[in-house]
Every structure is written in C-alpha cells, then in structure tokens.
Amino acid sequence: MRACPHCGAELDENAPDTTECPVCRNLVRPPNPHAKRLYLTMAITALLYFVLLFSLLFADNARWLFAVFTLAFLSGVYLLYVMYHYFRWGI
C-alpha cells in the first residue's frame, strides 16, 4: 500500500504513478531514479575543479595539471549528460 510522503495518508493501490493525495492535496510522484547519480557526479565534479584550482595556485607540474583538467572536464561533460536524464524524467 502506497502512502503520501507529506501526510502519511494511504493512497489507492490502483492510482497512477503521479497522483494527488486526497487528504493534503499534494502531488505524489515516484522518486527520480537519476537523483543519486546526479548528486554524486556533482560532488565529484566540484571536488575535481577544487583540486584543479589549488593545483594551479601552487604550480604543480604540467602532467598533473593536464590530468586533473582532463578529468574535471570529462566529469563536467558527464554531469551534463546526467542532468539531461534527471530533468527529462521530471523534478
């Protein structure tokens, strides 16, 4: 039996995936399956750019800078891909 995440009221078993709660009138949707991957990718991308910032500030060698920049760039491209799927599914 499904329950409303806002008020805890029981919902009809035959109700569609996106339905309105009869008690509090909030929309009840299934969870977005891309949310965990989006948040993890956002954290990894931010961490890589943070490492790149301090690598540039402290002038490490060129190979290290190139490797970190490449990883950060590819992570950002993958983040755009994940964001596309996240928002396509619906917020």
Side-chain angles (χ1 to χ4, degrees), residues 52 55-56 58-71:
L52 179 64
S55 295
L56 287 171
F58 296 118
D60 287 338
N61 60 20
R63 287 185 192 153
W64 171 254
L65 289 176
F66 182 74
V68 172
F69 180 76
T70 303
L71 284 175

Side-chain angles (χ1 to χ4, degrees), residues 3 5-6 22-23 33 38 58-59 65 80-81 91:
H6 305 286
V23 177
L38 174 70
F58 296 118
L65 289 176
L80 290 175
Y81 172 77
I91 298 174

Side-chain angles (χ1 to χ4, degrees), residues 16-60:
D17 285 340
T18 301
T19 186
E20 184 179 277
C21 175
V23 177
C24 64
R25 301 287 183 210
N26 286 318
L27 285 177
V28 178
R29 296 184 179 109
N32 192 327
H34 303 285
K36 282 185 182 178
R37 188 168 52 161
L38 174 70
Y39 301 143
L40 180 66
T41 308
M42 287 171 61
I44 289 172
T45 304
L47 178 69
L48 284 171
Y49 276 106
F50 191 70
V51 167
L52 179 64
L53 170 76
F54 281 101
S55 295
L56 287 171
L57 285 175
F58 296 118
D60 287 338

Side-chain angles (χ1 to χ4, degrees), residues 73-87:
F73 176 76
L74 292 175
S75 179
V77 170
Y78 182 67
L79 177 63
L80 290 175
Y81 172 77
V82 172
M83 286 173 63
Y84 168 75
H85 285 288
Y86 178 81
F87 289 112

